[in-house]
Structures are given as C-alpha cells and as structure tokens.
Amino acid sequence: MVRIGIVGSEGRMGQAIVAILPELGHEFAGGVDKGGDVARLADESDVLVDFSSPGSLEANLHAAIGAGIPLVIGTTGLEERHHRAIDDTARAVPILQTGNTSLGITLLSHLVQEATARLGEDWDIEIVEMHHRHKVDAPSGTALLLGEAAAKGRGIELAECRESGRGHEFGGHTGERAPGAIGFAALRGGTVAGEHSVIMAGTQERLTFSHSAEDRSIFARGAARAADWLIGREPGRYTMRDVLEL
C-alpha cells in the first residue's frame, strides 16, 4: 500500500484522486491546499501528487527534496521558469511532470508523433480541444502536449510553429495558413471533462486522432498509477510515456 499525499486536494482532480485510492489499494496520506503545510505532508507520504497551481510549485518541489520522495506534477499552465525549477529538482528526486495523466492520451501522443514523423509538411496540423466552462488556461496542457508530440515528430520546437487564437487579433482576416504551422483552437462550455482531436489535413485526404474523457476518474487512475510507478526510481525527470514504456 502506497501512501499518496495530494497537493490541491480540494480541487476537482484532487477530490477525484482521493475518491479512487481505496479501490486501487493505496492510502490517502492527507492533503493540503493554499496555505497548507506541504513539507509536513511530504514527511508523512511515500509520494506527492500535485494538482494545485503554478504559484505553489516551488514550495512543492522543496518539500519533495526535503522529504526525499518522488513527486507527480499534473498542474498545467507552467512557464519556462517552472520547467527549469523542475529540471533542477529532478537531480535530487524522481519527478514525473505531464499535461495529462490519462493513459489513453499518453498513447495518443505517441501515435501523433509517429504519424508526423512520416508525413510531410504538406500535411497541415490542427489541434482542437474542448473543456468545461470553469477551465482557466488555454490551450489546455493536453493540447500543448499533443502539439509538442507533433512538433517532435517533425524534428522542430513547437514554439517555432505554434498558432493560437487564429483570427482574434486580426478581426477575422488571417491571410493564408503558414506552411508547417501547428494550429490550436480552444472551446469552453458546459461540463465537458476533456475532448481533444489532432487533425492532419493533406491533399484530398484527412487523418484525425481523437480522445474523449468521459469522467475525471480516468485522470485520477492515471495519476495514481504514475505515483506508484515513480516510487523507487532514480532521480530524474519522467513522463507518462515512461510509465507505459513507450
């Protein structure tokens, strides 16, 4: 039985993880939210799972180092400075950071990378995602994860070819699509847990990879599996692909 501490335990994902742990045979070591003592929670846990906010990341990293335990980071909206801090911490403890803990999305990103590695730049790539009305970041962390996979398949950086919010800045007049661009569209409404499609449009043919999240519990199961897998690993930075040995 693994003792899993949840950072952001009162959030939607935190509550979903807490609910699923007994079924998976793991122990809920406790949870903290804004202003809570994450260092104490780390001392009482075998592994931490963080679904809080980017502003809490530094304290969570320090807590993991202090207790010498692994950390799963599912928080989205991270910036370059956050990733640098994660890289530094991963020299001391094992860290798994991901924009999505779904096993299905993990496999999907692998397939997207494989497809773009074999298709030429004359195949246009568009990523469309939809989430519930309360989601605050766009594009979603999952959409960016899929965009990174597509860019990696082409051997380029996503920052070099990313197009978001097409039409908004230009009053609807965008000009022709930039060659090699990876476009993003974000939709928000209702109670949608997560819908993602990667569209590859060639000449007179189109290939679409899609994933539908029917319930938030799929992310909770994936996060718990990642936490269990991370225990006993060497210090380093890992992804969900490592969990599936992709």
Side-chain angles (χ1 to χ4, degrees), residues 132-143:
H132 54 86
R133 62 173 68 94
H134 300 294
K135 188 167 180 62
V136 297
D137 57 314
S140 68
T142 301

Side-chain angles (χ1 to χ4, degrees), residues 46-196:
D46 296 320
V47 57
L48 289 179
V49 176
D50 178 15
F51 278 94
S52 55
S53 67
S56 302
L57 181 64
E58 184 177 358
N60 302 335
L61 293 174
H62 285 312
I65 291 178
I69 63 171
L71 172 63
V72 175
I73 301 172
T75 300
T76 58
L78 301 181
E79 300 176 1
E80 184 59 35
R81 59 187 176 88
H82 297 121
H83 288 287
R84 288 196 297 268
I86 293 171
D87 288 338
D88 290 340
T89 305
R91 297 187 180 98
V93 295
I95 294 182
L96 189 152
Q97 184 271 321
T98 181
N100 190 299
T101 54
S102 159
L103 301 182
I105 284 290
T106 301
L107 181 58
L108 176 60
S109 69
H110 175 73
L111 296 175
V112 167
Q113 181 177 334
E114 290 291 308
T116 55
R118 289 161 173 75
L119 299 175
E121 285 194 4
D122 56 327
W123 285 72
D124 300 322
I125 300 174
E126 294 287 315
I127 299 173
V128 182
E129 54 101 343
M130 183 169 183
H131 286 84
H132 54 86
R133 62 173 68 94
H134 300 294
K135 188 167 180 62
V136 297
D137 57 314
S140 68
T142 301
L144 292 174
L145 181 151
L146 294 171
E148 293 282 1
K152 187 173 182 179
R154 286 184 168 176
I156 58 177
E157 296 293 329
L158 180 59
E160 300 174 13
C161 57
R162 173 179 167 179
E163 288 188 357
S164 298
R166 188 181 296 123
H168 177 72
E169 309 95 315
F170 306 102
H173 299 283
T174 65
E176 292 187 0
R177 189 182 196 281
I182 297 178
F184 292 84
L187 311 179
R188 297 289 177 267
T191 59
V192 179
E195 298 277 348
H196 293 85

